[in-house]
Amino acid sequence: MDVNFMDLKNNNSEPVENNELSIELSEEIAEGIYSNLAIITHSNTEFVLDFIRIMPGIPKAKVKSRIVLTPEHAKRLLGALQDNINRFEDGNGPIKTNDPALPMNFGGPAGEA
């Protein structure tokens, strides 16, 4: 797994090198949370990223995780994500997106009147 650190405390968007950093990752967090929808909102002081899982045939979706960032850290996250996407595409080819409208029935049965 490729890892790219953002140094959020020292205003440094370059990868962290020659600094010792101990990161603890519990088993629960290591499992991750699957999300197939993200909603991003912001105010003048923070960005809020809500990660949601939509399931087929279920009309109600739950926010599975929420991350709150300062605007500066949100911009650094954007840069780090873009860097990782570029490196992924260099080795695997372009990521194809079709940007469909939000699938309200998510492949489940269509409603009838």
Side-chain angles (χ1 to χ4, degrees):
M1 178 185 299
D2 250 349
V3 177
N4 186 9
F5 295 103
M6 293 185 318
D7 187 349
L8 299 179
K9 286 184 179 177
N10 297 321
N11 298 327
N12 182 3
S13 60
E14 296 299 316
V16 175
E17 295 177 16
N18 299 329
N19 291 336
E20 288 193 30
L21 180 63
S22 177
I23 298 174
E24 184 177 323
L25 182 62
S26 70
E27 284 186 39
E28 180 183 10
I29 298 298
E31 289 179 13
I33 295 176
Y34 177 76
S35 170
N36 52 11
L37 175 66
I39 296 176
I40 303 169
T41 55
H42 69 277
S43 69
N44 61 337
T45 59
E46 61 195 18
F47 277 73
V48 178
L49 289 69
D50 285 329
F51 295 94
I52 300 155
R53 182 183 313 151
I54 300 174
M55 298 303 291
I58 300 175
K60 188 173 183 178
K62 289 186 178 182
V63 173
K64 303 305 275 183
S65 183
R66 171 175 277 190
I67 306 296
V68 181
L69 302 165
T70 66
E72 184 179 1
H73 292 163
K75 191 161 188 175
R76 286 199 180 110
L77 176 61
L78 175 65
L81 187 57
Q82 185 62 63
D83 178 59
N84 277 268
I85 288 171
N86 291 341
R87 289 190 287 142
F88 176 89
E89 289 183 328
D90 286 347
N92 299 286
I95 298 170
K96 296 176 184 166
T97 60
N98 58 5
D99 296 326
L102 181 63
M104 296 312 286
N105 67 359
F106 200 73
E112 295 181 17

